[in-house]
Amino acid sequence: MAAAIGVVVIWHDTVLGWLFGAGLAAVALWSRPRMVRPPDGAEEVSRAEAPTLFGAADRVAHATGAAPPTTVYLHDRLLTCAHLRVGVRRRPALVIGLPLLLALTPRERAGMLAVAFAEDVGGDPARGLLVRSALLAAGEWRHALLSARVERYRPTGDPLIDMVWFPGERLGSQLIGKITGVVLGWPLFLAEFALTRLLAGQSQVARYYADHVAARAVSTPAVLRYLDALTMADSRLTPILSAARRGASIDEIRRAVPLSRDVDREAMLARREASSARRTWRDLAPPLALRAALLEEGDAQEGSTGIDETESDRIDAELSHHLARTVRTLSQSSS
């Protein structure tokens, strides 16, 4: 932005100066620090609408030392739970994917909340405003510049239209744009790669620490079962989708959720290895398999905070119409 202002001040009497300055200003605006926003399609719920959910969240947040959420967002298609700092004031907010909530037992729900809140106290630099914005900006620029495609011209069959479109010139302009994108995009790719590698180690240590904080809050088995539920997410969702297509009620769908003790240990270990193999260089968080293995090898923690069957049922009752909408969405998407 400073360069844009300098160019306009120096060459204010030329059109080229204004165009170049406007281009630099556009780059500055696109690279600005990004405020965190809730995901598209998320629906906000108030404390008056879901007092039990907020009560459980406040209790787990206090146990982990994180800021309790000022608001909760529910999403019909996300299979995740995250603690975010939303907006300019960075208000603490909790984003809960309703398909994930349906697939978890009460103990695993306590682990879900603890893991989400513990990330707020883990000290992960990638959650900071400037570092997160730098990663997002570098990724967006790299994708915009390196993902340009050169498409061959396909004649329409009308000789007049085909003559006007100049297929040779059209293909040439696409090739020039592709080459320009590669020339400008590779330095951004290298910058994104370097920043990701610099952050990877600190982010992994922060996530391991957050897992231990969560285990101290709600117990090691609760966190382990939650991580294993994420690892076995597809097998958790399969009976839910089948029940949703049959038109089952929320209670029947909840009873269809497989318990952690029913999962084959060998299948679990194989799925953990598969999740580790899918990790790419852009992933800052460590694989679920390594997080679970470190918790298993460490000292077992027995936290004083949890969610029992009664409280979990009250949460389902409070969110009944949201869960019913999610079930309809799942049944439509899987049919």
Side-chain angles (χ1 to χ4, degrees):
M1 185 61 73
I5 295 174
V7 167
V8 171
V9 170
I10 296 174
W11 290 290
H12 64 278
D13 55 346
T14 63
V15 175
L16 186 60
W18 281 96
L19 291 176
F20 190 56
L24 290 176
V27 172
L29 290 175
W30 200 5
S31 305
R32 70 191 185 280
R34 313 294 178 88
M35 300 297 111
V36 177
R37 297 179 179 179
D40 294 337
E43 182 179 3
E44 184 177 359
V45 293
S46 63
R47 286 185 177 269
E49 184 180 358
T52 307
L53 175 61
F54 273 90
D58 291 345
R59 190 172 64 251
V60 176
H62 178 73
T64 57
T70 59
T71 185
V72 172
Y73 295 95
L74 305 176
H75 202 285
D76 291 342
R77 294 182 178 273
L78 289 182
L79 197 69
T80 185
C81 178
H83 182 274
L84 305 178
R85 295 284 183 164
V86 179
V88 178
R89 299 173 59 186
R90 294 178 58 81
R91 297 181 298 112
L94 191 65
V95 178
I96 300 176
L98 290 176
L100 177 63
L101 194 67
L102 276 173
L104 298 180
T105 63
R107 195 173 194 181
E108 292 165 353
R109 288 181 172 183
M112 174 192 75
L113 293 176
V115 169
F117 285 121
E119 292 179 2
D120 192 48
V121 299
D124 187 356
R127 288 174 58 87
L129 176 62
L130 295 180
V131 175
R132 177 182 175 277
S133 298
L135 283 173
L136 288 176
E140 290 179 358
W141 278 103
R142 183 256 311 157
H143 178 76
L145 292 172
L146 295 180
S147 299
R149 298 175 60 185
V150 178
E151 299 180 356
R152 296 186 61 183
Y153 177 76
R154 297 181 180 180
T156 63
D158 189 312
L160 180 60
I161 294 179
D162 293 338
M163 180 182 66
V164 172
W165 273 102
F166 299 106
E169 288 79 354
R170 181 173 180 269
L171 182 62
S173 63
Q174 288 185 358
L175 286 173
I176 293 174
K178 178 71 173 179
I179 294 172
T180 304
V182 170
V183 172
L184 298 177
W186 268 100
L188 288 170
F189 167 78
L190 295 177
E192 182 188 11
F193 180 81
L195 182 58
T196 302
R197 291 301 89 201
L198 287 172
L199 290 172
Q202 299 179 61
S203 294
Q204 290 181 22
V205 171
R207 186 60 60 92
Y208 297 143
Y209 173 72
D211 287 341
H212 285 284
V213 170
R216 288 198 301 267
V218 297
S219 78
T220 299
V223 177
L224 272 173
R225 291 181 181 181
Y226 170 62
L227 295 179
D228 288 339
L230 292 179
T231 304
M232 304 290 290
D234 53 349
S235 62
R236 290 292 186 100
L237 284 179
T238 299
I240 293 177
L241 294 176
S242 300
R245 285 194 294 267
R246 295 195 306 268
S249 64
I250 298 298
D251 293 337
E252 293 172 340
I253 291 175
R254 291 285 298 143
R255 287 194 294 270
V257 175
L259 299 178
S260 301
R261 62 175 178 269
D262 298 333
V263 178
D264 184 15
R265 180 66 179 175
E266 293 184 358
M268 175 64 68
L269 294 177
R271 192 62 61 85
R272 285 182 180 180
E273 293 180 1
S275 67
S276 300
R278 291 192 297 267
R279 191 170 184 271
T280 66
W281 66 267
R282 293 191 180 93
D283 296 326
L284 292 176
L288 293 172
L290 188 53
R291 294 169 61 185
L294 290 178
L295 282 175
E296 287 177 338
E297 294 176 359
D299 297 332
Q301 305 285 342
E302 286 297 333
S304 57
T305 306
I307 297 177
D308 56 21
E309 291 279 354
T310 303
E311 189 175 25
S312 181
D313 291 339
R314 289 203 303 268
I315 292 175
D316 290 340
E318 293 173 351
L319 306 180
S320 58
H321 68 281
H322 299 283
L323 294 173
R325 186 188 63 242
T326 299
V327 170
R328 290 194 300 270
T329 303
L330 292 175
S331 62
Q332 293 171 1
S333 61
S334 60
S335 59

